[in-house]
Amino acid sequence: MLTSIQTDTPLISLTKVEKWYGAFHALKAINLSVRKGEKIVLCGPSGSGKSTLIRCINALESIQSGTITVDGTTLDNNSTSIDAVRREVGMVFQSFNLFPHMTVLENCTLAPMRVRGASKPDAERIARKYLERVRILDQAEKYPAQLSGGQQQRVAIARALCMEPNVMLFDEPTSALDPEMVKEVLDTMIALAVDGMTMICVTHEMGFARQVADRVIFMASGEIIEEATPEVFFTAPQHPRTQAFLGEILAHH
Amino acid sequence: MNYVFDFGVVFEKMPELLLGAASTLGLAIAGISLALIIGVLGVAARSSKYRLMRGAVIAFVEVVRNTPFLVQIFFIFFALPMMGIRLNPTVTAIIALAVNGGAYAIEIIRGGVESISKGQVEAGLALGLHKFQVFRLIVLKPAIRTIYPSLVSQFIMLTLTTAVCTSIAAYELTSVAQMIESDTFRSFEVYFTITIMYLFISSIMMGLFALISRHFFSYPTR
Ligand SMILES: Nc1ncnc2c1ncn2[C@@H]1O[C@H](COP(=O)(O)OP(=O)(O)OP(=O)(O)O)[C@@H](O)[C@H]1O
Ligand SMILES: [Mg+2]
């Protein structure tokens, strides 16, 4: 586990969050608070609501009740709060979602220019800084289709970082990658963690969880079943569903 | 068959024919440009949060696609003046072509937009872009790229449809040919010549579309 720079005021807090997809109850009474600098790993079986949970934090999904506050801004239905939160929260997706018609550099400068109003030279300077940081600056003029999956995902991380967010959300960032490319992406994420970024990662990479997480949260059927430090989580899981899940995951690795 | 071909007439009138061809090309390019704008704005409006807006776009597309172009152009030229809107033939032709092509463009471009993965939109939103910025900056170009061949064939058809504008005496290649024919009675020579000229016009348009494609859509994909 890394020693993190943490303060006591939560950067993100979810209180009694309820999410329904029509008649389907996807998130049930979710309470979660994340301090600045904290790294959370979120795991659980397929369909348990992990993606839904992190997508609620940047308002890609709306919630039916409860409150979500990010860096002092409480999400409500007006677009001002959504804009404010999205400016502070970066997100990395399983399927990279780079924009195919833009070069790597353009992918990275788009939002800083259009959302933050940065000038092109400033945006490019920032983009080069983060591309350097994810060790892919040499590919800046290429298009996404010309990169490997691992390279694309590192660009996606750089693209999110270019908005200089306070929080990064990762939704299974390595699940779509060939095994030999998983490490380069995880290493990038570890480096980000070391730098003190607040992170919520949905992942089943248990090695990453052990090394980086301050807390591991286990979800099932839309509920948070258990949360603990990695040591406790992996060595002494309390809930039978957690034990069953870990049994399965570890059998596969 | 004792018809004696005489293309001399055609050569004599060549300047007029070329002017007519240029005018046809102009009508086509103006109509297509406006149709493209209508297509893009229409697709954006079709996903508006206002029901009335969405309904209006759907109604527009259905009305235009289920009525003859000839009737549409007559409506603009002969019926609108009754409501105080009087337009000259060229302007009428451009508007009619734009409206007609625009309705088809809306349907075609919408297909392209629907083929873009939700993940692209979400990535844009997550970066803080607004819905319309996502549409314009992220979705539109790849969307048009996917349906570009259909859009091109629709616009080539629109180019050839300019001939219908003869019906309101708009100045274009077919109306010029008709005038020459009625002066000279050289039907075969005149219509044979403009057939070739239309082939040229189509090739020029195809060439333009290929250039546009090379400029905008040449980024690599898997
Ligand atoms: N847009 C939607 N409409 C209806 N149901 C949805 C929608 N999105 C997700 N769900 C349902 O909500 C539940 C939680 O989905 P979610 O994607 O959050 O799961 P997950 O834990 O991320 O699973 P996975 O590991 O497979 O990614 C699932 O049962 C899913 O079918
Ligand atoms: Mg998921």
Side-chain angles (χ1 to χ4, degrees):
Chain A
M1 191 177 112
L2 298 163
T3 45
S4 306
I5 318 128
Q6 292 170 11
T7 61
D8 285 338
T9 45
L11 187 57
I12 303 172
S13 71
L14 286 77
T15 316
K16 293 186 189 155
V17 168
E18 305 282 346
K19 165 75 188 171
W20 297 76
Y21 289 111
F24 181 78
H25 202 173
L27 294 179
K28 301 168 187 163
I30 299 290
N31 290 300
L32 172 66
S33 101
V34 181
R35 291 183 304 277
K36 189 164 173 32
E38 218 180 351
K39 294 102 184 70
I40 308 285
V41 162
L42 199 56
C43 61
S46 180
S48 56
K50 307 177 297 291
S51 299
T52 304
L53 173 55
I54 64 167
R55 289 159 57 84
C56 286
I57 294 171
N58 66 350
L60 285 182
E61 301 288 353
S62 58
I63 59 174
Q64 276 65 52
S65 80
T67 53
I68 298 176
T69 303
V70 180
D71 202 11
T73 307
T74 299
L75 280 171
D76 52 31
N77 281 330
N78 80 56
S79 59
T80 328
S81 69
I82 295 178
D83 289 349
V85 166
R86 285 182 181 160
R87 268 200 298 272
E88 298 312 325
V89 178
M91 188 172 212
V92 175
F93 300 84
Q94 178 175 347
S95 50
F96 327 139
N97 293 336
L98 294 181
F99 308 132
H101 56 302
M102 298 178 193
T103 62
V104 163
L105 192 65
E106 289 165 348
N107 264 276
C108 291
T109 56
L110 178 72
M113 287 169 69
R114 302 288 176 162
V115 179
R116 291 217 187 272
S119 68
K120 195 171 178 193
D122 282 346
E124 289 187 349
R125 195 171 37 73
I126 296 168
R128 289 182 196 285
K129 177 173 110 189
Y130 288 109
L131 287 170
E132 172 94 76
R133 195 142 141 206
V134 302
R135 291 171 291 109
I136 201 151
L137 184 56
D138 52 330
Q139 313 284 335
E141 303 306 325
K142 286 198 178 165
Y143 285 89
Q146 297 168 316
L147 304 181
S148 73
Q151 291 175 320
Q152 289 191 52
Q153 194 61 299
R154 285 187 282 140
V155 171
I157 293 171
R159 178 176 72 178
L161 291 175
C162 284
M163 284 298 284
E164 317 214 287
N166 290 330
V167 182
M168 286 285 283
L169 307 174
F170 293 85
D171 193 354
E172 303 202 36
T174 57
S175 304
L177 295 174
D178 293 336
E180 69 271 21
M181 294 170 186
V182 169
K183 187 173 180 297
E184 65 185 67
V185 171
L186 289 180
D187 286 347
T188 306
M189 292 169 65
I190 291 167
L192 202 58
V194 172
D195 284 351
M197 177 62 79
T198 309
M199 295 163 67
I200 303 181
C201 311
V202 176
T203 181
H204 292 154
E205 294 293 337
M206 292 304 148
F208 173 80
R210 277 177 205 277
Q211 190 179 348
V212 168
D214 296 302
R215 265 187 293 160
V216 181
I217 294 179
F218 175 72
M219 285 183 78
S221 316
E223 292 175 278
I224 292 181
I225 302 287
E226 184 160 352
E227 58 176 281
T229 60
E231 300 96 284
V232 174
F233 186 84
F234 290 112
T235 54
Q238 299 299 303
H239 199 283
R241 295 191 71 168
T242 317
Q243 293 161 1
F245 174 77
L246 283 175
E248 252 177 63
I249 284 283
L250 298 175
H252 283 103
H253 282 74
Chain B
M1 194 181 96
N2 42 26
Y3 184 83
V4 182
F5 294 108
D6 178 9
F7 279 89
V9 178
V10 168
F11 287 118
E12 210 172 287
K13 301 284 189 184
M14 196 44 92
E16 285 170 47
L17 285 169
L18 286 175
L19 221 54
S23 177
T24 286
L25 206 54
L27 285 181
I29 289 172
I32 288 167
S33 309
L34 293 174
L36 193 59
I37 293 170
I38 292 174
V40 169
L41 294 181
V43 170
R46 212 179 176 289
S47 61
S48 156
K49 61 181 171 195
Y50 302 108
R51 250 179 79 178
L52 202 67
M53 183 84 112
R54 297 198 303 268
V57 175
I58 293 168
F60 167 74
V61 169
E62 289 309 314
V63 167
V64 171
R65 295 204 313 161
N66 292 292
T67 52
F69 179 69
L70 187 61
V71 173
Q72 291 163 14
I73 198 168
F74 279 167
F75 186 87
I76 298 172
F77 196 62
F78 296 116
L80 287 189
M82 304 296 160
M83 299 159 70
I85 304 169
R86 203 170 296 277
L87 302 166
N88 75 41
T90 302
V91 173
T92 302
I94 291 173
I95 292 175
L97 291 166
V99 163
N100 186 271
Y104 285 96
I106 288 173
E107 277 308 276
I108 296 171
I109 295 171
R110 186 170 67 94
V113 167
E114 281 170 4
S115 77
I116 301 302
S117 79
K118 253 180 71 198
Q120 291 285 306
V121 175
E122 289 175 349
L125 293 176
L127 284 167
L129 295 162
H130 288 153
K131 201 178 147 216
F132 190 70
Q133 289 178 308
V134 169
F135 174 74
R136 186 166 58 88
L137 302 167
I138 296 171
V139 173
L140 195 56
K141 198 169 178 179
I144 292 184
R145 176 177 160 140
T146 54
I147 47 77
Y148 196 67
S150 322
L151 199 60
V152 168
S153 64
Q154 188 65 45
F155 285 161
I156 294 295
M157 203 145 100
L158 187 133
T159 303
L160 301 178
T161 303
T162 54
V164 178
C165 302
T166 300
S167 57
I168 56 164
Y171 186 80
E172 43 71 55
L173 184 54
T174 304
S175 65
V176 169
Q178 268 181 342
M179 282 186 292
I180 296 171
E181 189 240 17
S182 62
D183 283 350
T184 63
F185 303 107
R186 286 285 164 192
S187 312
F188 182 90
E189 290 84 342
V190 170
Y191 289 118
F192 181 83
T193 305
I194 71 163
T195 299
I196 304 293
M197 292 174 98
Y198 272 113
L199 283 174
F200 265 108
I201 290 169
S202 293
S203 324
I204 290 171
M205 294 306 290
M206 294 291 261
L208 277 177
F209 286 121
L211 277 180
I212 290 169
S213 172
R214 198 165 336 142
H215 184 73
F216 288 102
F217 304 126
S218 62
Y219 58 88
T221 51
R222 271 150 285 269

